[in-house]
Amino acid sequence: MKLRELIDKLEIEETLTTEEWTRLLNHFTQEDAAYAADKARTIADEIYGKEIYIRGLIEFTNYCKNDCYYCGIRRSNEKVERYRLTRGQILDCCHTGWKLGYRTFVLQGGEDGFYTDSWYQETIGKIKEAYPDCALTLSLGERSKESYQRLYDAGADRYLLRHETANQQHYGRLHPKELSLKNRKECLWGLREIGYQVGCGFMVGSPYQTSKELAEDMKFIHELKPHMVGIGPFIPQKDTPFAQETQGSLRLTLFLLSLIRIMEKHVLLPATTALGTIDPKGRELGILAGANVIMPNLSPVDVREKYKLYDNKICTGEEAAECRGCIDRRVTSIGYHIVSKRGDYKA
Ligand code: 5AD
Ligand code: FES
C-alpha cells in the first residue's frame, strides 16, 4: 500500500497495524504530510468550524517531587528558583483572563505536596463560584483516584495528564524507577471513569523514541479515546540529564498532529507552546495541520521565567494581554478566529 492509502485507511478505519504505523512515520514525504494536513484540516473544520479555543494556563507552582529526566523543574534541578502562587494570586489570574475572553482556566503545577485536597477543593469552589460560565482544567500529575474524585466533585471539569510514552521500556528511560507507566495509565483510566474530560499526550522526539514507540502512542490514544491530546516537540533543558539530546522535529510533530486529528476526529488538539518555541510560526502551522486549541500563559509575569520545563520557552516576558493580542493576530492571519467560549469536546 502506498503511504497515502495508509492515510486514507486511517481516516476510515481509525487504526493501523504497528507495521503500517512505522512505515508511515519512517518514510513520509512532504507531499504525504500535506495530504494528511489537508484531510485533518477538513475534518476539524467540519466539526469545529473556523473557531479556535483558548485556554488560560496558570502555572501555579514549580515545586515538584518527581525527577523526570527531561523536565526543567525536576526536583534535582537546584538552579530553579522555586515559587508557589497563593489562592488570591490564582484568582487574580482568572480575573485577568476572564476580562481577556478566556472561558477555560488550566491550573498546572509540579507534583507539589504543599497543596492538599482541601486546598484544591476550596480553590476550585472559589473559581467556579466567581466564573460559573468557565471550565476548569487541572494538570496536577498523578494522584489517588479518591483525590481525583474529590476535585471533580468540587467542580473541576477536565484533567490533563500526558502519558509521555506508551512503551514501558521507553517510559523507564525517561523517568526514575519510582515512576511507572502502569500507574500513569491507571490514573488516566480512573479520570475517565470519574467523568472528567481527559487529555493524554507525549513529546515528539524524546530521547530513545523511534517510530515503534510512536506507533504504541497512537494505539494507546485510540484505546483511551481521550477528549484532548497534547503533543509537542521535546526540547532539551540545559540543567537536566537530557541537556545534550537533540530536539524533536517540527515536521514530525506537524505530521503527528494531522494523524491524531484523522484518527480521533473530534479531539481537542492544542498547538502547543513547545511547538511555538521551535519555530516562530509553529502554532500557526499546528493549526493548519489540524490543531484547534491554543493555551496562552496567564501566569504572573514575574514567575514565568521560573516555569521553564525546556530552554528558550516563548512568552516569558509578555503580559497576559500581550499574548492575547498576539494570538489573535496569529490565528486571524491564517483564516481562523479565537472564540470566547468554554470550548468543550463536541461529540
Ligand atoms: N520538552 C518538551 N516538553 C516537555 N515537557 C516536560 N519537559 C519537556 C521538555 N524538555 C512536557 C511533558 C509534560 C508537559 C507538562 O510538558 O510532556 O507532561
Ligand atoms: Fe505570547 Fe505571542 S503568544 S507573545
Side-chain angles (χ1 to χ4, degrees):
M1 235 191 254
K2 290 203 299 199
L3 294 190
R4 284 193 183 197
E5 291 169 34
L6 289 181
I7 296 168
D8 294 340
K9 177 182 170 187
L10 182 65
E11 183 179 20
I12 298 160
E13 298 182 20
E14 307 191 329
T15 174
L16 297 178
T17 66
T18 303
E19 189 276 328
E20 289 170 333
W21 275 122
T22 52
R23 197 152 59 82
L24 185 58
L25 295 170
N26 285 334
H27 303 294
F28 73 98
T29 62
Q30 249 354 79
E31 289 70 48
D32 296 320
Y35 182 74
D38 190 50
K39 239 187 220 314
R41 214 39 272 175
T42 304
I43 294 168
D45 286 2
E46 271 169 17
I47 300 167
Y48 292 101
K50 295 284 177 187
E51 298 189 343
I52 300 297
Y53 299 138
I54 46 171
R55 321 299 196 192
L57 186 63
I58 304 168
E59 301 157 334
F60 71 97
T61 174
N62 69 351
Y63 281 84
C64 192
K65 69 174 165 57
N66 292 335
D67 219 13
C68 308
Y69 305 144
Y70 47 83
C71 184
I73 63 167
R74 65 200 298 268
R75 70 159 185 266
S76 299
N77 187 357
E78 287 170 6
K79 296 209 175 141
V80 180
E81 198 189 316
R82 306 284 169 171
Y83 73 89
R84 290 184 177 111
L85 298 188
T86 63
R87 183 177 294 132
Q89 287 176 301
I90 293 171
L91 284 160
D92 286 346
C93 292
C94 295
H95 182 69
T96 305
W98 198 88
K99 285 189 297 179
L100 292 171
Y102 289 94
R103 294 297 178 269
T104 291
F105 303 117
V106 183
L107 283 187
Q108 181 173 89
E111 292 194 15
D112 181 357
F114 176 84
Y115 300 96
T116 58
D117 278 357
S118 56
W119 185 90
Y120 283 122
Q121 285 167 300
E122 193 166 334
T123 306
I124 293 164
K126 287 237 155 74
I127 295 173
K128 294 293 285 195
E129 185 188 308
Y131 307 100
D133 54 344
C134 294
L136 185 57
T137 305
L138 304 178
S139 181
L140 316 173
E142 298 180 16
R143 308 176 70 81
S144 67
K145 187 151 184 208
E146 294 68 42
S147 171
Y148 287 146
Q149 184 71 58
R150 282 184 210 114
L151 308 190
Y152 184 77
D153 294 339
D157 302 281
R158 310 185 185 134
Y159 204 101
L160 303 178
L161 184 71
R162 289 190 178 178
H163 63 283
E164 311 298 357
T165 172
N167 175 280
Q168 200 173 322
Q169 281 75 43
H170 189 215
Y171 198 92
R173 300 180 85 168
L174 302 180
H175 302 96
K177 60 178 178 315
E178 59 272 19
L179 291 172
S180 80
L181 177 59
K182 183 168 170 283
N183 194 57
R184 195 92 180 163
K185 286 185 172 175
E186 275 166 14
C187 286
L188 282 162
W189 288 110
L191 288 160
R192 262 214 83 124
E193 224 170 78
I194 290 167
Y196 283 95
Q197 293 181 37
V198 176
C200 68
F202 58 89
M203 293 174 288
V204 178
S206 61
Y208 314 109
Q209 181 187 68
T210 68
S211 52
K212 174 175 164 273
E213 282 73 33
L214 288 170
E216 291 183 46
D217 287 323
M218 297 303 273
K219 288 180 165 206
F220 174 68
I221 291 169
H222 189 63
E223 198 192 339
L224 179 67
K225 293 239 165 301
H227 306 82
M228 307 166 280
V229 176
I231 70 162
F234 161 74
I235 305 172
Q237 202 285 343
K238 62 182 180 349
D239 305 307
T240 63
F242 289 164
Q244 303 306 323
E245 303 289 334
T246 38
Q247 85 178 21
S249 91
L250 176 69
R251 171 177 175 274
L252 182 57
T253 307
L254 295 174
F255 189 46
L256 283 161
L257 280 171
S258 299
L259 297 177
I260 292 168
R261 171 66 65 205
I262 293 168
M263 180 173 77
E264 302 301 319
K265 303 188 173 43
H266 298 255
V267 82
L268 294 160
L269 191 62
T272 56
T273 304
L275 190 55
T277 296
I278 64 161
D279 188 284
K281 287 265 149 57
R283 289 170 295 177
E284 291 90 318
L285 294 170
I287 292 170
L288 294 172
N292 70 326
V293 173
I294 296 197
M295 302 172 70
N297 205 314
L298 267 187
S299 314
V301 173
D302 60 304
V303 304
R304 289 193 189 189
E305 197 59 41
K306 300 173 191 157
Y307 200 88
K308 291 210 35 199
L309 310 184
Y310 46 81
D311 290 337
N312 308 314
K313 187 177 169 203
I314 52 170
C315 300
T316 56
E318 277 75 16
E319 291 289 347
E322 296 179 70
C323 285
R324 184 62 183 79
C326 168
I327 284 298
D328 239 330
R329 287 190 296 278
R330 286 173 184 273
V331 168
T332 311
S333 77
I334 52 169
Y336 287 78
H337 58 271
I338 300 291
V339 290
S340 185
K341 294 182 180 172
R342 278 173 55 117
D344 286 296
Y345 182 84
K346 287 195 188 172

